[in-house]
Amino acid sequence: MSVPTSQEDSREGPASATARKLAARRRREVVAVLLFSGGPIFESSIPLSVFGIDRQDAGVPRYRLLACAGEDGPLRTTGGLQLTAPHGLEALSRAGTVVVPAWRSISQPPPAPALEALRQAHDEGARVLGLCTGAFVLAAAGLLDGRPATTHWMYAPTLAKRYPAVHVDPRELFVDDGDILTSAGTAAGIDLCLHVVRTDHGAEAAGALARRLVVPPRRAAGADGAHPRHLDRSLPEEIGADPLAEVVAWALEHLHEQFDVEALAARAYMSRRTFDRRFRTLTGSAPLQWLITQRVLQAQRLLETSDYSVDEVAARCGFRSPVALRGHFRRQLGASPASYRAAYRARRPDGGGADAPRVPHARKVPAPHEGGRDPDGPRSHTTAPGGTEGRAEARADGAAEPGKPQSDAWSHRLPRQRGRGHGRAT
């Protein structure tokens, strides 16, 4: 997670510049936490703990917490517990900060009165946070339209598909878009709440709170040697009933082979254009980028569980060269393959995965590009203007596809406007 220094000093991005002035009765230090029945207790407890406990003795400025029921109670939560919130939706009218820590089911629409209360709070200048699946509530209220946002990686494709006006990026720990902020799953909610404290009261106050919570004040997720980001091959649950499911399953079983999206379209008996449209509609992601991500994920697993060189890993994951692997790996995980492996093994002294045995160096995959040098020595990938690795949009097998612009993950989303703060998990 990293936020540029210039954005640390000034949070007023394009979105907040157009936001309405905070109503006189609202104050940022008054935090309303909107709770719903069926919400997970961990996510719900994060803002309650961060903003609801007086820690002035530790140098943390005090917030005033309003725990609000988003619907009629009592509210049931994880483990069959029942909660009785002391406030209802009317209390949102006094809050300058509103937090939606989670939503019970991404398949259910949130209550209309709660959505209207959120819209009114935002119209009157309140800062609104959505933690984890709370982003679905903000999206249902229309607060994320045209904005960048994140959520739990498992639900990001569904959020992108259901709300196409939202620019979803599942690679972020959190996204600060001025008056609208969202975080990824579970513990990333702590990162976002600490970010809010840092924004309101400075790094010293956020650091003091982090020490009390026994968490790092900033998670450098994805930085070389720190907390590398993790990918997953998950897709929306709906894909199981779609004819494309068979093609997706075949692709996942043959990642070691060199094939491209044209081959997948042929297996689906579709034109490339039709296949791209169907795949994007179903998953919220372009098929090319999805396939590249799966190859990087496969490489990630081999780096964790085997002693194969980077050159061999590239060959076993369908990349035409280790240069292509390094470019995509660094762009998606924020570290070189060698740095990722070193960081992973440093966290696991046995050098293996939690439940996967190390794969011995049993068979060497022929790699014509091997030349006896360090397999992950000085990087030879190219850098395009602006610092993006690779000069052209990569094909699914790692080769450059002429005539197409560079495509980053979730490339169909609109680019972010400059000046917005992001806690990037790179």
Side-chain angles (χ1 to χ4, degrees):
M1 179 270 295
S2 62
V3 180
T5 303
S6 60
Q7 294 170 0
E8 282 287 70
D9 297 333
S10 177
R11 298 295 167 192
E12 294 299 319
S16 58
T18 60
R20 292 177 175 83
K21 183 178 180 181
L22 188 65
R25 67 178 180 277
R26 296 180 181 271
R27 295 182 180 277
R28 283 288 173 91
E29 64 269 20
V30 178
V31 181
V33 178
L34 192 56
L35 302 171
F36 296 98
S37 186
I41 194 168
F42 183 86
E43 285 84 350
S44 301
S45 69
I46 289 172
L48 298 177
S49 178
V50 170
F51 301 113
I53 298 177
D54 186 353
R55 298 185 177 92
Q56 295 181 86
D57 62 322
V60 181
R62 185 175 182 178
Y63 288 86
R64 181 187 174 194
L65 180 76
L66 303 174
C68 306
E71 55 193 339
D72 293 338
L75 309 177
R76 298 183 183 277
T77 186
T78 310
L81 299 177
Q82 288 190 356
L83 303 178
T84 302
H87 302 282
L89 290 173
E90 72 285 348
L92 266 65
S93 63
R94 307 198 302 273
T97 300
V98 180
V99 184
V100 183
W103 174 236
R104 59 173 165 264
S105 173
I106 63 172
S107 62
Q108 295 183 20
L115 298 181
E116 179 57 34
L118 283 171
R119 285 190 288 265
Q120 181 177 349
H122 181 252
D123 288 345
E124 294 182 356
R127 171 177 56 188
V128 183
L129 283 66
L131 310 186
C132 193
T133 53
F136 282 81
V137 180
L138 272 58
L143 301 184
L144 297 183
D145 288 355
R147 292 175 177 265
T150 191
T151 188
H152 194 293
W153 56 262
M154 188 166 60
Y155 306 121
T158 302
L159 182 65
K161 177 184 175 183
R162 189 171 301 160
Y163 303 101
V166 182
H167 311 324
V168 181
D169 192 338
R171 301 167 301 166
E172 307 285 359
L173 279 178
F174 63 81
V175 174
D176 178 348
D177 195 40
D179 54 351
I180 298 289
L181 303 90
T182 52
S183 76
T186 314
I190 301 176
D191 297 302
L192 179 53
C193 289
L194 283 173
H195 170 72
V196 168
V197 174
R198 186 181 305 112
T199 300
D200 291 347
H201 302 292
E204 186 173 347
L209 176 57
R211 285 191 295 274
R212 277 293 183 95
L213 297 175
V214 197
V215 296
R218 297 174 185 265
R219 280 200 293 166
D224 284 1
H227 298 272
R229 187 192 319 145
H230 290 274
L231 303 173
D232 195 274
R233 22 170 112 200
S234 297
L235 288 167
E237 296 177 0
E238 309 93 273
I239 197 171
D242 192 276
L244 290 186
E246 183 178 347
V247 176
V248 169
W250 182 90
L252 292 174
E253 293 297 324
H254 293 79
L255 291 174
H256 59 284
E257 301 177 11
Q258 291 183 4
F259 60 88
D260 55 18
V261 178
E262 296 285 356
L264 296 182
R267 292 189 67 86
Y269 301 101
M270 298 178 186
S271 68
R272 169 66 184 271
R273 184 175 181 179
T274 300
F275 182 79
D276 282 5
R277 184 176 65 252
R278 286 284 306 279
F279 194 96
R280 192 189 298 269
T281 300
L282 186 66
T283 69
S285 178
L288 175 62
Q289 191 56 54
W290 176 84
L291 186 53
I292 292 173
T293 298
Q294 303 315 309
R295 295 194 187 281
V296 171
L297 172 59
Q298 184 76 354
Q300 182 183 5
R301 289 171 172 161
L302 287 178
L303 290 167
E304 292 174 355
T305 62
S306 79
D307 288 321
Y308 294 125
S309 69
V310 173
D311 288 23
E312 290 174 305
V313 169
R316 288 175 177 270
C317 297
F319 289 103
R320 293 202 171 205
S321 72
V323 173
L325 167 61
R326 291 188 185 99
H328 290 302
F329 199 95
R330 180 175 290 276
R331 184 162 58 250
Q332 295 200 32
L333 287 159
S336 69
S339 297
Y340 177 87
R341 172 178 271 169
Y344 182 85
R345 292 186 176 179
R347 298 194 309 277
R348 297 189 181 279
D350 60 352
D355 35 29
R358 292 276 295 281
V359 178
H361 224 137
R363 180 173 62 88
K364 189 173 182 66
V365 176
H369 47 267
E370 290 182 345
R373 62 178 175 81
D374 180 356
D376 202 29
R379 296 190 298 274
S380 56
H381 58 268
T382 58
T383 302
T388 304
E389 294 170 353
R391 283 181 277 183
E393 179 178 359
R395 289 185 358 193
D397 58 6
E401 186 170 337
K404 291 191 176 182
Q406 172 69 25
S407 172
D408 203 352
W410 294 73
S411 57
H412 61 293
R413 301 291 163 220
L414 299 177
R416 302 190 190 102
Q417 297 183 31
R418 298 181 63 183
R420 291 170 175 166
H422 299 273
R424 188 176 180 88
T426 54

